[in-house]
């Protein structure tokens, strides 16, 4: 070993010993996990054409926007707006999964969602995206946990040939559906389907009601395909009511964004984050864009 290399290695080792191995490892440069900024199309409330809405979002620093699908917007308008502005369409949100869940006891209801998912997969491919967000099922008084689990998995498996044909991923989202409320169970649910095109669309804010995002990120790991961003205040929930917990601005709730970013970096996530919060006009959307910048940089 050359003397210069030996001295350099000795200095590095000494530094690690002084500040602690764990701290030293964490200090190593890591690529930021959240690098592309998106939001949901319905958050834009200004009465503009599709093209002008895309221009607005591009001007405000967004990299992409996610539409619901199926939708009633002319696909030519969407593609023209995409191509003229350079705003990407990273994915779509299935628009039938709440009213017609895949967990329903009625085969006709499940078929509505299944057909909608097929359309969503084809739409996403047409838009140039990579994921369809799907709420996998709903547990309620009329649908048991066991039935929701088995029915939804069976229906998702039926969709895999369309996913393979389009190359589009089915990304399951954690929501307040009384279903898959443990990160270990959520991971197992995906693993049992056992297909690379089925994974997770992790919503950071939705977990804060009954858990910690970093724990879910650790458990889900590489199964995470995309990230949804929102906030939640446990104090507001306690003082004002359950749903009032969402009435808090980004960066002002209980989400520890530096810890979330560290957890995402640890599993190797690097990609999209999509805001799912109350939208508004240009001024409001600019605030959201700036807040997201702060989240992206939180360390």
């Amino acid at each position: 070993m050359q003397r210069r290399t030996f001295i350099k290695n000795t200095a590095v080792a000494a530094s690690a010993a002084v500040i602690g191995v764990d701290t030293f490892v964490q200090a190593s440069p890591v690529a930021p996990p959240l690098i592309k900024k998106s939001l949901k199309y319905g958050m834009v409330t200004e009465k503009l054409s599709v093209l002008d809405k895309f221009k607005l979002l591009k001007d405000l620093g967004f990299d992409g926007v996610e539409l619901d699908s199926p939708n009633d917007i002319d696909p030519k308008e969407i593609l023209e707006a995409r191509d003229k502005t350079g705003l990407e369409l990273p994915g779509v949100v299935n628009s039938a999964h709440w009213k017609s869940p895949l967990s329903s006891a009625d085969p006709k209801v499940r078929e509505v969602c299944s057909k909608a998912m097929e359309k969503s997969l084809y739409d996403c491919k047409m838009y140039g995206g990579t994921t369809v967000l799907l709420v996998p099922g709903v547990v309620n008084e009329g649908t048991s946990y066991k039935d929701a689990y088995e029915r939804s998995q069976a229906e998702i498996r039926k969709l895999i040939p369309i996913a393979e044909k389009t190359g589009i991923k089915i990304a399951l989202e954690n929501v307040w559906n009384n279903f898959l409320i443990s990160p270990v169970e959520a991971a197992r649910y995906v693993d049992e389907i056992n297909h690379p095109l089925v994974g997770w669309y992790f919503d950071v804010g939705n977990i804060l009601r009954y858990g910690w995002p970093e724990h879910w990120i650790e458990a889900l790991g590489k199964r995470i395909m995309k990230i949804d961003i929102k906030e939640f205040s446990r104090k507001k929930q306690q003082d004002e009511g359950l749903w009032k917990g969402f009435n808090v601005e980004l960066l002002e709730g209980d989400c520890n964004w530096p810890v979330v970013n560290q957890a995402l970096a640890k599993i190797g996530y690097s990609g999209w984050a999509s805001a799912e919060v109350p939208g508004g006009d240009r001024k409001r959307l600019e605030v959201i864009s700036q807040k997201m910048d702060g989240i992206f940089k939180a360390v």
Side-chain angles (χ1 to χ4, degrees):
M1 179 184 293
Q2 293 184 354
R3 182 174 181 275
R4 182 179 300 174
T5 303
F6 174 79
I7 292 173
K8 180 180 178 181
N9 291 345
T10 302
V12 169
S15 297
V18 171
I19 65 178
V21 174
D22 289 343
T23 306
F24 180 76
V25 171
Q26 292 174 4
S28 301
V30 177
L34 305 178
I35 57 176
K36 285 198 169 186
K37 185 168 51 174
S38 181
L39 78 170
K40 311 306 180 186
Y41 184 76
M43 291 167 56
V44 186
T45 62
E46 292 199 10
K47 295 182 179 180
L48 301 169
S49 67
V50 176
L51 176 59
D52 286 338
K53 285 184 178 182
F54 276 41
K55 286 180 178 178
L56 169 62
L57 294 175
K58 191 70 174 178
D59 289 345
L60 294 177
F62 288 98
D63 302 296
V65 62
E66 290 193 333
L67 281 72
D68 286 348
S69 173
N71 60 60
D72 57 2
I73 307 173
D74 185 342
K76 291 181 181 179
E77 284 189 73
I78 296 169
L79 297 178
E80 179 186 29
R82 180 200 65 183
D83 295 342
K84 285 187 175 181
T85 63
L87 194 72
E88 295 182 61
L89 293 153
V92 302
V93 179
N94 180 262
S95 57
H97 52 204
W98 275 114
K99 291 184 178 180
S100 304
L102 294 178
S103 53
S104 173
D106 187 343
K108 292 182 179 179
V109 172
R110 299 200 301 271
E111 185 180 12
V112 170
C113 189
S114 181
K115 293 295 184 185
M117 273 299 297
E118 290 184 21
K119 181 70 163 63
S120 297
L121 289 163
Y122 283 113
D123 280 351
C124 187
K125 180 176 177 60
M126 175 177 61
Y127 298 156
T130 59
T131 55
V132 175
L133 185 156
L134 171 68
V135 174
V138 178
V139 173
N140 52 38
E141 188 176 6
T143 302
S144 74
Y145 211 102
K146 179 178 182 293
D147 287 342
Y149 199 101
E150 293 174 354
R151 288 175 191 149
S152 59
Q153 278 192 336
E155 295 296 337
I156 290 169
R157 288 188 179 102
K158 292 177 187 177
L159 291 165
I160 286 177
I162 306 297
E164 290 176 334
K165 185 177 180 179
T166 58
I168 302 300
K169 301 172 183 176
I170 300 172
L172 311 176
E173 188 189 27
N174 52 289
V175 295
W176 290 5
N177 55 349
N178 302 314
F179 186 46
L180 302 179
I181 53 179
S182 153
V184 175
E185 178 190 33
R188 186 184 72 185
Y189 181 91
V190 169
D191 290 348
E192 287 173 352
I193 295 174
N194 190 27
H195 197 282
L197 292 178
V198 180
W200 210 263
Y201 202 126
F202 182 62
D203 189 307
V204 176
N206 282 346
I207 287 304
L208 288 165
R209 171 187 170 189
Y210 47 77
W212 286 263
E214 57 270 25
H215 299 168
W216 277 69
I217 293 167
E218 178 185 37
L220 290 174
K222 296 292 186 179
R223 302 169 188 84
I224 294 178
M225 295 172 167
K226 292 238 174 72
I227 297 291
D228 255 350
I229 283 182
K230 63 165 68 81
E231 273 283 8
F232 190 80
S233 166
R234 298 186 183 101
K235 187 176 188 307
K236 279 185 172 289
Q237 171 192 350
Q238 180 178 347
D239 295 346
E240 303 174 27
L242 178 59
W243 288 92
K244 296 295 183 180
F246 286 122
N247 292 351
V248 61
E249 186 59 89
L250 291 173
L251 291 171
E252 297 175 14
D254 287 324
C255 186
N256 190 332
W257 292 108
V259 171
V260 167
N261 281 337
Q262 289 168 17
L264 288 170
K266 189 173 181 179
I267 67 168
Y269 182 87
S270 184
W272 287 95
S274 182
E276 190 180 29
V277 298
D281 59 10
R282 170 182 282 270
K283 185 176 180 180
R284 168 62 183 157
L285 296 172
E286 184 175 15
V287 170
I288 293 171
S289 179
Q290 292 171 350
K291 293 287 187 180
M292 290 184 74
D293 289 340
I295 287 171
F296 281 28
K297 296 174 183 176
V299 294

